[in-house]
Amino acid sequence: MGRNLLKREQAITFVKETFSTHLKQALNLIPISSPLIVLDGTGINDDLNGIERPVSFPIKSLNEERAVVVHSLAKWKRVRLKELELEPEEGVITDMRALRPDEDYSPIHSIYVDQWDWEKAIHTKDRNLNYLKDTVNKIYSALLATEKAVEHQYPERKAILPDQIYFISSEELLARYPDNTPKERENAIAQAYGAVFIYGIGGELSNGFAHDGRAADYDDWSTDNDAGYKGLNGDILVWNPLLNSAFELSSMGIRVDKTALLRQLEIRNCVERSKLSFHQMLLTDLLPESIGGGIGQSRVCMFMLKLAHIGEVQVSIWDPERKDKLANEDIFLL
């Protein structure tokens, strides 16, 4: 078993190195260092859906000021763009490591999170749906190239992605499957097209509910009738036949400007967050316009290597009963 695990580790490394190389080239991204922890109360940590608890602890050398382990680097990266003085169409990428202790265990969820977190400065004129779609197509091209490379290196891992990714808004998806839950709609559209980008996630749809939750202060997901769009963010999903379900690889989007930030803080009833340091930087024009997202490293490895559980491609904490049950199914966690 040990040699098989070693071969799997080598395959994981191959996938990660191949995809990150293609992604950097596709989006013009520069690798940078990134934090595992940030100070609490700055507004820089990713709040995800706004309810998840971060790991928090006091720092003795800072008079017991509290720090939090990041959920992701959605807002930190935008500050870094400013600090590095990057111009539009220049971006950064980093190996993000995070902890999400409130995550529910499943074959695709762990409390340990590893992502390629990326962010790119853009022109104000590129805050539109066409630019978002063009960026998604570039990311998808990196996924296609990686899958072909994996098949060449490991012929038993057959490439299954379609040549193109399908685009649909969350509102259009609701109209197509009005009697289904959001997850059922995702499964239906992903199975129909193989790869899909659902955009406009976070805002209220015509049925009175959002397709999924989003924090108020990084992606621009709310309606702007004057600009003619409903949401400039979304998720990249592929159909995973091994799990018989839609499989999210990335959440991304064009980031909020001042107008969108205030609009979304009001929608979420958290206008008081506008006083935090990150939000003040944005509201006083100190941050660049940007687009960015996270791409799950373990998720990409799972999909490319045709594995059934996220614990097969990352080392996390699992309960012994779960590990034993999976081992009886010939699924061995790292």
Side-chain angles (χ1 to χ4, degrees):
M1 186 59 198
R3 300 301 296 184
N4 288 334
L5 286 176
L6 180 59
K7 290 180 180 178
R8 194 197 307 166
E9 292 279 18
Q10 292 171 326
I12 292 168
T13 298
F14 178 80
V15 172
K16 289 183 177 181
E17 290 180 349
T18 302
F19 179 72
S20 61
T21 296
H22 285 292
L23 184 66
K24 285 182 285 188
Q25 293 172 347
L27 296 182
N28 190 31
L29 304 176
I30 303 164
I32 63 168
S33 304
S34 60
L36 174 63
I37 53 178
V38 295
L39 288 176
D40 196 11
T42 61
I44 289 178
N45 198 11
D46 180 357
D47 294 306
L48 301 176
N49 294 312
I51 58 174
E52 293 87 350
R53 298 171 301 167
V55 175
S56 174
F57 58 92
I59 303 173
K60 183 179 72 172
S61 296
L62 293 179
N63 297 317
E64 302 301 307
E65 189 170 0
R66 297 194 73 82
V68 291
V69 177
V70 298
H71 280 144
S72 85
L73 301 173
K75 291 177 282 188
W76 177 88
K77 293 173 297 180
R78 193 168 180 183
V79 176
R80 201 71 179 122
L81 290 180
K82 167 186 166 51
E83 293 170 344
L84 295 174
E85 300 179 348
L86 295 190
E87 298 293 330
E89 296 306 315
E90 293 180 329
V92 297
I93 183 171
T94 189
D95 282 333
M96 187 278 292
R97 301 289 184 266
L99 294 176
R100 298 180 183 175
D102 282 347
E103 197 73 73
D104 293 322
Y105 281 139
S106 80
I108 62 173
H109 292 101
S110 165
I111 63 171
Y112 169 69
V113 181
D114 53 351
Q115 291 184 167
W116 289 285
D117 244 330
W118 64 274
E119 196 84 9
K120 186 165 74 168
I122 63 173
H123 295 283
T124 301
K125 66 179 178 61
D126 289 326
R127 291 181 49 79
N128 59 69
L129 186 58
N130 286 336
Y131 188 88
L132 177 64
K133 289 181 177 180
D134 181 64
T135 303
V136 171
N137 279 325
K138 290 176 179 177
I139 295 171
Y140 190 68
S141 71
L143 289 168
L144 285 174
T146 301
E147 190 182 41
K148 291 174 182 175
V150 169
E151 184 181 44
H152 182 265
Q153 185 78 4
Y154 306 99
E156 70 277 12
R157 284 20 175 183
K158 299 298 182 184
I160 61 174
L161 288 174
D163 291 337
Q164 295 182 325
I165 188 169
Y166 182 75
F167 292 90
I168 189 169
S169 72
S170 56
E171 186 64 55
E172 292 168 328
L173 186 62
L174 172 62
R176 189 172 298 193
Y177 305 106
D179 299 322
N180 293 19
T181 67
K183 291 304 177 187
E184 289 170 345
R185 297 197 290 270
E186 290 181 356
N187 286 337
I189 200 71
Q191 186 172 25
Y193 290 95
V196 60
F197 183 72
I198 303 173
Y199 59 91
I201 296 179
E204 183 178 298
L205 303 177
S206 58
N207 65 352
F209 300 94
H211 180 81
D212 201 357
R214 286 295 185 274
D217 46 15
Y218 54 99
D219 286 349
D220 187 345
W221 45 255
S222 54
T223 302
D224 187 337
N225 293 324
D226 293 334
Y229 69 78
K230 186 169 186 176
L232 292 175
N233 72 334
D235 292 342
I236 296 176
L237 307 174
V238 296
W239 178 249
N240 189 323
L242 190 62
L243 300 179
N244 196 38
S245 69
F247 192 66
E248 181 185 323
L249 295 181
S250 176
S251 177
M252 59 173 289
I254 291 173
R255 305 311 196 186
V256 290
D257 59 9
K258 291 191 295 185
T259 302
L261 174 64
L262 293 173
R263 180 172 64 238
Q264 292 178 181
L265 289 175
E266 186 171 349
I267 291 171
R268 288 283 187 265
N269 295 314
C270 55
V271 176
E272 71 280 357
R273 292 186 63 82
S274 64
K275 297 181 175 63
L276 297 175
S277 60
F278 171 84
H279 304 70
Q280 281 296 304
M281 291 178 72
L282 179 55
L283 293 171
T284 54
D285 298 312
L286 293 179
L287 297 179
E289 300 279 16
S290 70
I291 183 172
I295 302 171
Q297 294 189 17
S298 293
R299 295 276 186 95
V300 170
C301 290
M302 275 183 70
F303 184 80
M304 297 295 172
L305 298 176
K306 308 300 183 283
L307 296 172
H309 197 283
I310 198 167
E312 295 181 274
V313 293
Q314 63 161 239
V315 179
S316 185
I317 296 175
W318 308 96
D319 58 275
E321 295 81 7
R322 189 184 307 268
K323 292 185 71 171
D324 291 343
K325 180 178 182 296
L326 290 169
N328 290 332
E329 300 171 8
D330 291 327
I331 297 175
F332 299 96
L333 307 187
L334 296 180

